[in-house]
Amino acid sequence: RGAGARQREEARGRGRERGRALQVEGGRSAAARRHAMVPPGSNPTVVGRLLAAYTSALSRYVLLQPAVSAGLATSADLVAQTVGEGCELKDVDWRRTSAFSVFGCFYSGMFIPRWFAAVSSGVHRTLAGRPRAVQAAAKVAVDMGLQAPFSYMPVFYYSTGLWRGDDLDTITQRFREKWRDSTLGAWSVMVPAMYVNFLYVPPPLRVVFANSCSFGWTIALSLYVNARGEAGEAPASLPVQPQALALPAAPSTREDRCDARQAEQKKSAP
């Protein structure tokens, strides 16, 4: 009877030791995950803490990602209007800006995180054991081959068009005319960006990385198009063949560009 009691006590002691070891190992794993997000050569006390804080906040505040995505989309359109189209802040088309905000919040901030998770899960199951570079290429193929042309583009054109008050016939015509060039433009910019994203960026940070790339892309697009005088509209991507735009000459001054855009808006208003 005494020997059995000692054996039970020793078993409980070994169980407590294993529990403490698992806690220590879990702490080390968490620290390793935090340090893995720190780029080589950077200061972990600054970058590491910022990344860890942002990642932790994403898990605690479900509206943080939609808010960040909406903020980036809003800022991009404001920069496009004030810098690209030469408008003063008082002349900004806030209805157009709000359309970008809503699209960024719901599509980029709510749908895209779930889409990225589904794509990653499916590729990992299908290509288990393959090199990470191969898996990243497969994720890009699925994302850019399916989501970009057949989900992002139609949702962008129809949601922002309806929000701005355009009728369905006008939106459909615009979408049919610009879908091909918009898709090719998106591929030319976002395919390499998304390969880097899926290969190197930790999963919690992939959406904000993609949104950041889209931010610069939207501003560059607006500068490119409006420098050639197309007013009143912000296409979804940079056309691959600029000569296909057949755009008129650009107004010469900042005020002229803004006035031209406002005149075009009044002309197309019902």
Side-chain angles (χ1 to χ4, degrees):
R1 199 179 297 120
R6 284 196 300 273
Q7 290 177 354
R8 287 192 295 272
E9 183 62 28
E10 291 174 357
R12 285 194 291 269
R14 288 193 296 270
R16 287 192 293 269
E17 291 177 359
R18 284 196 297 270
R20 286 193 294 269
L22 288 174
Q23 290 178 351
V24 172
E25 183 63 27
R28 291 174 179 171
S29 299
R33 287 194 298 270
R34 288 194 297 269
H35 287 295
M37 293 188 294
V38 179
S42 62
N43 185 356
T45 62
V46 177
V47 178
R49 288 179 181 178
L50 288 175
L51 294 177
Y54 181 76
T55 303
S56 176
L58 285 176
S59 63
R60 289 185 287 118
Y61 304 107
V62 295
L63 296 180
L64 178 59
Q65 185 64 77
V68 171
S69 299
L72 287 171
T74 302
S75 302
D77 185 64
L78 286 175
V79 172
Q81 291 193 54
T82 56
V83 177
E85 298 174 14
C87 286
E88 300 290 344
L89 194 60
K90 62 183 178 64
D91 298 320
V92 164
D93 182 353
W94 292 107
R95 187 168 185 177
R96 162 181 152 180
T97 301
S98 66
F100 276 81
S101 304
V102 172
F103 178 80
C105 175
F106 288 98
Y107 191 90
S108 301
M110 294 185 177
F111 170 74
I112 288 297
R114 292 162 176 78
W115 167 256
F116 280 179
V119 170
S120 296
S121 177
V123 170
H124 290 163
R125 287 196 305 268
T126 305
L127 301 178
R130 297 293 182 89
R132 291 178 62 247
V134 174
Q135 293 187 9
K139 294 174 187 177
V140 173
V142 174
D143 182 48
M144 290 287 101
L146 295 178
Q147 185 268 142
F150 302 116
S151 177
Y152 179 93
M153 293 302 172
V155 172
F156 173 83
Y157 275 102
Y158 278 90
S159 64
T160 57
L162 289 172
W163 187 271
R164 294 170 63 181
D166 296 336
D167 60 82
L168 284 175
D169 291 338
T170 300
I171 298 171
T172 301
Q173 180 181 359
R174 182 188 305 133
F175 175 68
R176 289 176 176 174
E177 291 175 352
K178 295 181 178 292
W179 176 83
R180 178 180 175 275
D181 286 339
S182 296
T183 301
L184 292 176
W187 287 346
S188 68
V189 175
M190 295 305 295
V191 165
M194 291 307 300
Y195 184 75
V196 172
N197 196 9
F198 284 124
L199 184 60
Y200 296 112
V201 179
L205 303 177
R206 286 175 180 168
V207 174
V208 72
F209 179 87
N211 288 342
S212 299
C213 294
S214 297
F215 176 84
W217 163 43
T218 303
I219 295 174
L221 167 72
S222 181
L223 292 172
Y224 175 82
V225 173
N226 288 283
R228 287 157 176 77
E230 185 177 69
E233 181 179 352
S237 67
L238 180 63
V240 175
Q241 297 178 338
Q243 65 273 19
L245 292 173
L247 301 176
S252 57
T253 67
R254 175 189 177 99
E255 292 76 12
D256 289 342
R257 290 196 299 271
C258 189
D259 291 343
R261 194 198 70 171
Q262 292 174 348
E264 183 67 23
Q265 289 176 338
K266 292 179 180 179
K267 185 191 304 182
S268 59

